[in-house]
Amino acid sequence: MERLPKAIVPIIIAVVIAIIFIANSTVNVNSGEAGVLFKRFDGGVVTDGEPLKEGFHIVAPWNTVFIYEVRQQTIDESMQVLSSNGLDIKLDATIWFEPTYDQLGLLHKERGQKYISRLIQPAVRSATRAVVGRYKPDELYAQKRESIQNEIYDETNQLLKNQYVQVNRILVRDVSLPPTIKQAIERKLKQEQESLEYEFRLEKATKEKQRQEIEAEGKARANEILNASLSENILKEKGIQATIELSKSENSKIIVIGSGENGMPIILGNN
């Protein structure tokens, strides 16, 4: 192979240097990400400007861009904590979080790219210990899970205040108690349920008895009123009316013999 002319060699060197320069000066920020610029010779991390947005950027080759995911992210935590009486409680939780976009430079400067393990996880664990430590095992078992997770969420946000991240939600997936404690609580809850059921049946029977007594008293009162209103003359009149109606029937054979003890006729007959 023939040797290249001496005039071409500098051109080739310049092209290679340009390619290296351009390759080290271009940064691509993908969707859902943002970049923090580190100026090696001009003050370090840029904290007073907006992070690099999605897209293609050109920076000086001696500077560095650190890429952060700025979408909402999740982490799962499985923790062993103590209840108020010192028993081990296992709690599984999911945390939704995201870095504060306009403070991404401060987050990188003070916490770094490992901010999840350095900041969020310790805060969640500390908050969980504080919340669970206020309850006894039976309270944790019976307490509404939503109430517990809301308390953990509030405690976590308090710990992460002014830390350049935001926790959007905490979900408590499971609260596990020691087997013996769980069985004892279940027996207690079963007994309470049976007691409530017995009280319900007793109350129902009492109400039914009261209803029957009221109904009987009503009937007795009605009979008293009816008996008081039925005088001897009214009874005679009713008997005469009944006799007249029977005599009008085509299918009746009636024989009237004298009168009874109360002055009413004695009626003999059949249909």
Side-chain angles (χ1 to χ4, degrees):
M1 182 177 180
E2 298 182 358
R3 297 183 62 184
L4 294 174
K6 292 183 178 180
I8 297 178
V9 174
I11 296 175
I12 294 175
I13 294 173
V15 170
V16 171
I17 292 174
I19 293 173
I20 295 173
F21 182 87
I22 293 172
N24 291 329
S25 301
T26 59
V27 175
N28 184 50
V29 180
N30 294 322
S31 176
E33 296 178 340
V36 175
L37 180 61
F38 175 77
K39 295 182 177 180
R40 193 174 303 277
F41 304 113
D42 189 18
V45 178
V46 176
T47 59
D48 56 355
E50 188 177 357
L52 298 180
K53 297 181 180 180
E54 300 173 359
F56 182 80
H57 302 271
I58 296 178
V59 298
W62 52 84
N63 293 336
T64 306
V65 175
F66 295 90
I67 303 298
Y68 280 80
E69 185 173 359
V70 292
R71 289 174 293 203
Q72 179 173 266
Q73 305 163 63
T74 62
I75 54 174
D76 293 331
E77 281 291 304
S78 182
M79 298 164 277
Q80 291 286 137
V81 292
L82 298 178
S83 63
S84 62
N85 56 357
L87 291 174
D88 285 329
I89 307 295
K90 181 181 178 183
L91 188 144
D92 296 329
T94 298
I95 302 94
W96 283 264
F97 70 95
E98 59 188 86
T100 305
Y101 182 82
D102 56 358
Q103 295 180 321
L104 203 57
L106 291 169
L107 177 65
H108 178 74
K109 183 176 182 178
E110 297 185 17
R111 301 300 179 184
Q113 289 182 299
K114 295 182 180 181
Y115 72 93
I116 296 176
S117 60
R118 292 173 178 172
L119 185 63
I120 294 179
Q121 288 176 318
V124 171
R125 291 167 185 168
S126 177
T128 302
R129 286 193 296 269
V131 171
V132 173
R134 294 196 287 262
Y135 292 97
K136 295 179 180 178
D138 56 336
E139 293 172 331
L140 290 170
Y141 191 84
Q143 186 86 354
K144 291 182 179 179
R145 188 171 299 175
E146 183 178 353
S147 175
I148 297 173
Q149 66 190 23
N150 286 343
E151 289 187 43
I152 295 175
Y153 172 78
D154 292 339
E155 291 273 355
T156 301
N157 275 328
Q158 188 63 32
L159 292 172
L160 294 177
K161 188 176 181 180
N162 300 324
Q163 294 296 323
Y164 322 119
V165 295
Q166 63 183 53
V167 174
N168 298 327
R169 186 186 175 194
I170 294 178
L171 172 66
V172 175
R173 302 192 311 274
D174 185 47
V175 177
S176 300
L177 306 178
T180 54
I181 301 299
K182 183 178 179 180
Q183 292 170 5
I185 294 172
E186 288 177 346
R187 285 195 301 269
K188 179 182 176 182
L189 291 175
K190 184 178 179 181
Q191 291 171 356
E192 290 177 352
Q193 185 63 34
E194 291 175 348
S195 177
L196 290 174
E197 184 179 355
Y198 174 76
E199 290 178 3
F200 172 77
R201 291 199 304 267
L202 185 62
E203 182 179 359
K204 184 178 179 181
T206 302
K207 288 183 177 179
E208 177 63 19
K209 180 181 178 182
Q210 291 174 349
R211 186 193 67 80
Q212 292 175 355
E213 290 176 350
I214 292 172
E215 184 178 356
E217 289 176 1
K219 289 181 179 180
R221 180 59 179 163
N223 290 333
E224 289 177 3
I225 295 172
L226 180 61
N227 290 335
S229 65
L230 293 177
S231 65
E232 184 176 350
N233 291 332
I234 291 176
L235 292 174
K236 287 181 180 181
E237 182 181 351
K238 295 291 185 182
I240 293 170
Q241 290 177 353
T243 304
I244 294 172
E245 292 298 326
L246 285 173
S247 66
K248 292 179 180 179
S249 175
E250 297 179 355
N251 298 322
S252 299
K253 294 180 181 181
I254 304 170
I255 302 173
V256 180
I257 304 174
S259 62
E261 295 178 356
N262 56 0
M264 296 297 295
I266 298 175
I267 304 171
L268 300 177
N270 58 0
N271 293 332

